[in-house]
mmCIF file with all atom_site columns, all heavy atoms in Angstrom:
data_model
loop_
_atom_site.group_PDB
_atom_site.id
_atom_site.type_symbol
_atom_site.label_atom_id
_atom_site.label_alt_id
_atom_site.label_comp_id
_atom_site.label_asym_id
_atom_site.label_entity_id
_atom_site.label_seq_id
_atom_site.pdbx_PDB_ins_code
_atom_site.Cartn_x
_atom_site.Cartn_y
_atom_site.Cartn_z
_atom_site.occupancy
_atom_site.B_iso_or_equiv
_atom_site.pdbx_formal_charge
_atom_site.auth_seq_id
_atom_site.auth_comp_id
_atom_site.auth_asym_id
_atom_site.auth_atom_id
_atom_site.pdbx_PDB_model_num
ATOM 1  N N   . GLY W 1 14  ? -1.243 5.837  -16.558 1.00 77.00 ? 14  GLY W N   1
ATOM 2  C CA  . GLY W 1 14  ? -2.777 5.791  -16.685 1.00 77.00 ? 14  GLY W CA  1
ATOM 3  C C   . GLY W 1 14  ? -3.543 6.321  -15.364 1.00 77.00 ? 14  GLY W C   1
ATOM 4  O O   . GLY W 1 14  ? -4.738 6.295  -15.380 1.00 77.00 ? 14  GLY W O   1
ATOM 5  N N   . SER W 1 41  ? -6.688 29.930 -5.531  1.00 96.00 ? 41  SER W N   1
ATOM 6  C CA  . SER W 1 41  ? -7.085 29.349 -4.389  1.00 96.00 ? 41  SER W CA  1
ATOM 7  C C   . SER W 1 41  ? -7.306 27.936 -4.411  1.00 96.00 ? 41  SER W C   1
ATOM 8  O O   . SER W 1 41  ? -6.757 27.084 -3.685  1.00 96.00 ? 41  SER W O   1
ATOM 9  C CB  . SER W 1 41  ? -8.262 30.121 -3.666  1.00 96.00 ? 41  SER W CB  1
ATOM 10 O OG  . SER W 1 41  ? -8.537 29.561 -2.465  1.00 96.00 ? 41  SER W OG  1
ATOM 11 N N   . LYS W 1 49  ? -2.971 19.133 -1.205  1.00 93.00 ? 49  LYS W N   1
ATOM 12 C CA  . LYS W 1 49  ? -3.601 17.772 -1.046  1.00 93.00 ? 49  LYS W CA  1
ATOM 13 C C   . LYS W 1 49  ? -2.756 16.724 -1.761  1.00 93.00 ? 49  LYS W C   1
ATOM 14 O O   . LYS W 1 49  ? -2.481 15.673 -1.287  1.00 93.00 ? 49  LYS W O   1
ATOM 15 C CB  . LYS W 1 49  ? -4.975 17.729 -1.564  1.00 93.00 ? 49  LYS W CB  1
ATOM 16 C CG  . LYS W 1 49  ? -6.049 18.452 -0.596  1.00 93.00 ? 49  LYS W CG  1
ATOM 17 C CD  . LYS W 1 49  ? -7.396 18.533 -1.119  1.00 93.00 ? 49  LYS W CD  1
ATOM 18 C CE  . LYS W 1 49  ? -8.238 19.281 -0.288  1.00 93.00 ? 49  LYS W CE  1
ATOM 19 N NZ  . LYS W 1 49  ? -8.899 18.658 0.852   1.00 93.00 ? 49  LYS W NZ  1
ATOM 20 N N   . ASP W 1 109 ? 2.257  37.489 10.332  1.00 96.00 ? 109 ASP W N   1
ATOM 21 C CA  . ASP W 1 109 ? 1.547  37.713 9.073   1.00 96.00 ? 109 ASP W CA  1
ATOM 22 C C   . ASP W 1 109 ? 0.723  39.068 9.270   1.00 96.00 ? 109 ASP W C   1
ATOM 23 O O   . ASP W 1 109 ? 0.238  39.288 10.426  1.00 96.00 ? 109 ASP W O   1
ATOM 24 C CB  . ASP W 1 109 ? 0.663  36.604 8.687   1.00 96.00 ? 109 ASP W CB  1
ATOM 25 C CG  . ASP W 1 109 ? 0.275  36.669 7.239   1.00 96.00 ? 109 ASP W CG  1
ATOM 26 O OD1 . ASP W 1 109 ? -0.819 37.336 6.979   1.00 96.00 ? 109 ASP W OD1 1
ATOM 27 O OD2 . ASP W 1 109 ? 0.896  36.044 6.377   1.00 96.00 ? 109 ASP W OD2 1
ATOM 28 N N   . SER W 1 110 ? 0.438  39.738 8.166   1.00 95.00 ? 110 SER W N   1
ATOM 29 C CA  . SER W 1 110 ? -0.416 40.857 8.347   1.00 95.00 ? 110 SER W CA  1
ATOM 30 C C   . SER W 1 110 ? -1.899 40.557 8.520   1.00 95.00 ? 110 SER W C   1
ATOM 31 O O   . SER W 1 110 ? -2.632 41.470 9.023   1.00 95.00 ? 110 SER W O   1
ATOM 32 C CB  . SER W 1 110 ? -0.248 41.770 7.049   1.00 95.00 ? 110 SER W CB  1
ATOM 33 O OG  . SER W 1 110 ? -0.640 41.018 5.886   1.00 95.00 ? 110 SER W OG  1
ATOM 34 N N   . VAL W 1 121 ? -2.042 25.498 14.095  1.00 96.00 ? 121 VAL W N   1
ATOM 35 C CA  . VAL W 1 121 ? -1.402 24.378 13.609  1.00 96.00 ? 121 VAL W CA  1
ATOM 36 C C   . VAL W 1 121 ? -0.131 24.061 14.416  1.00 96.00 ? 121 VAL W C   1
ATOM 37 O O   . VAL W 1 121 ? 0.103  22.929 14.629  1.00 96.00 ? 121 VAL W O   1
ATOM 38 C CB  . VAL W 1 121 ? -0.937 24.756 12.057  1.00 96.00 ? 121 VAL W CB  1
ATOM 39 C CG1 . VAL W 1 121 ? 0.159  23.717 11.640  1.00 96.00 ? 121 VAL W CG1 1
ATOM 40 C CG2 . VAL W 1 121 ? -2.187 24.668 11.259  1.00 96.00 ? 121 VAL W CG2 1
ATOM 41 N N   . ILE W 1 126 ? 2.707  20.711 18.284  1.00 92.00 ? 126 ILE W N   1
ATOM 42 C CA  . ILE W 1 126 ? 3.545  20.605 19.550  1.00 92.00 ? 126 ILE W CA  1
ATOM 43 C C   . ILE W 1 126 ? 2.870  19.573 20.510  1.00 92.00 ? 126 ILE W C   1
ATOM 44 O O   . ILE W 1 126 ? 3.452  18.757 21.131  1.00 92.00 ? 126 ILE W O   1
ATOM 45 C CB  . ILE W 1 126 ? 3.683  21.941 20.206  1.00 92.00 ? 126 ILE W CB  1
ATOM 46 C CG1 . ILE W 1 126 ? 4.609  22.759 19.405  1.00 92.00 ? 126 ILE W CG1 1
ATOM 47 C CG2 . ILE W 1 126 ? 4.154  21.821 21.720  1.00 92.00 ? 126 ILE W CG2 1
ATOM 48 C CD1 . ILE W 1 126 ? 4.624  24.253 19.798  1.00 92.00 ? 126 ILE W CD1 1
#
Side-chain angles (χ1 to χ4, degrees):
S41 180
K49 288 178 185 272
D109 196 274
S110 60
V121 166
I126 290 168

